[in-house]
Amino acid sequence: MRIANMTAIISLSLAVCPVDAGITILEDLRRTTSWAESWSGGNRSYDAPDTATHPEFGGSGLIITGGFASWDGAIASGQSWERSLIGLGGRIESRGRSIGHTITNNDPVDQQSATIFSEVHYELTFRINQSALATYDAWVEADATVALYDALGAVVFSGQGMFEQTLQAGEYRLLAKAPLFIESVQYDGAIYDGSDYFFSLHVPAPTPTVLAAIALTITRRRS
């Protein structure tokens, strides 16, 4: 078995969309991809990439080659899905998961292999209009990754854990991936694997008290 990170190509740009008075969404790029292939006895079954941009689910069908009833065959199946929340109050959340399994047999007569690639790619660029105390909460499993970058590309938060930090006004980018790659060649049995992530970023809008203080400061500067 070999597990490796692979990157999907993203090509979607949405119109500017405000979450609330504190955050403005600039770009929302999401994609789920699944692909499967199996060989058995010189026969090939292939499921072309099932790719969805923005819908939350993509999956490959069950791929069977050879006579499975006699265990003389190979199976490859992969799925990926992502669900997001961009809500009022400055809350951004995403949960993504890629899973897959293969079955091959170590049969010297019937050469077998099964390959799966699945991936979730979530990328969100947004602008914070006022500095605010942000709360980041995330966990990752296997090869999944989550990170928040500032406008210069420096990492603000990454990985798993819970953190609080004041974010200054400006642009930021959230990037989360859940990749999966399985290649099973003449493996006598089944391989199950996957990668998984969750994150929540809360950047509250300025409270009325803070807004009033800002307005007072501006007024004093002008006087």
Side-chain angles (χ1 to χ4, degrees):
M1 184 181 81
R2 184 174 78 243
I3 305 296
N5 286 328
M6 301 182 70
T7 304
I9 299 174
I10 311 302
S11 60
L12 174 71
S13 178
L14 297 185
V16 172
C17 173
V19 172
D20 58 25
I23 295 179
T24 300
I25 303 299
L26 303 176
E27 197 170 35
D28 185 351
L29 309 175
R30 282 180 275 168
R31 187 172 183 174
T32 59
T33 301
S34 289
W35 172 91
E37 180 183 51
S38 62
W39 288 84
S40 180
N43 298 313
R44 179 190 188 219
S45 290
Y46 169 68
D47 193 3
D50 182 351
T51 300
T53 303
H54 250 269
E56 62 189 23
F57 177 80
S60 70
L62 183 65
I63 307 301
I64 303 176
T65 57
F68 179 64
S70 62
W71 293 95
D72 186 20
I75 294 177
S77 178
Q79 296 179 343
S80 61
W81 60 264
E82 185 271 338
R83 293 189 178 93
S84 300
L85 168 67
I86 304 176
L88 296 176
R91 186 174 299 279
I92 301 170
E93 294 182 357
S94 176
R95 169 79 190 276
R97 188 181 188 193
S98 294
I99 56 174
H101 79 275
T102 63
I103 299 177
T104 56
N105 298 296
N106 189 12
D107 186 341
V109 177
D110 180 13
Q111 299 295 317
Q112 299 178 23
S113 66
T115 306
I116 296 166
F117 164 61
S118 292
E119 185 182 63
V120 173
H121 183 112
Y122 180 93
E123 188 169 359
L124 190 73
T125 304
F126 58 94
R127 182 174 61 245
I128 297 178
N129 304 318
Q130 302 285 347
S131 62
L133 180 62
T135 302
Y136 170 91
D137 185 13
W139 53 261
V140 295
E141 292 183 357
D143 292 330
T145 58
V146 177
L148 175 68
Y149 302 88
D150 65 18
L152 299 178
V155 175
V156 181
F157 301 122
S158 66
Q160 61 185 12
M162 180 179 290
F163 312 98
E164 285 189 341
Q165 181 174 319
T166 298
L167 299 183
Q168 302 302 315
E171 291 189 12
Y172 295 86
R173 181 171 67 101
L174 269 169
L175 180 61
K177 295 181 181 181
L180 172 66
F181 181 72
I182 302 176
E183 186 178 49
S184 174
V185 179
Q186 294 294 102
Y187 182 83
D188 193 10
I191 298 174
Y192 297 85
D193 214 334
S195 61
D196 204 351
Y197 75 81
F198 166 81
F199 74 78
S200 172
L201 178 67
H202 185 210
V203 186
T207 63
T209 302
V210 173
L211 291 175
I214 294 173
L216 180 59
T217 300
I218 294 174
T219 302
R220 286 176 175 173
R221 287 177 178 174
R222 288 177 178 176
S223 59

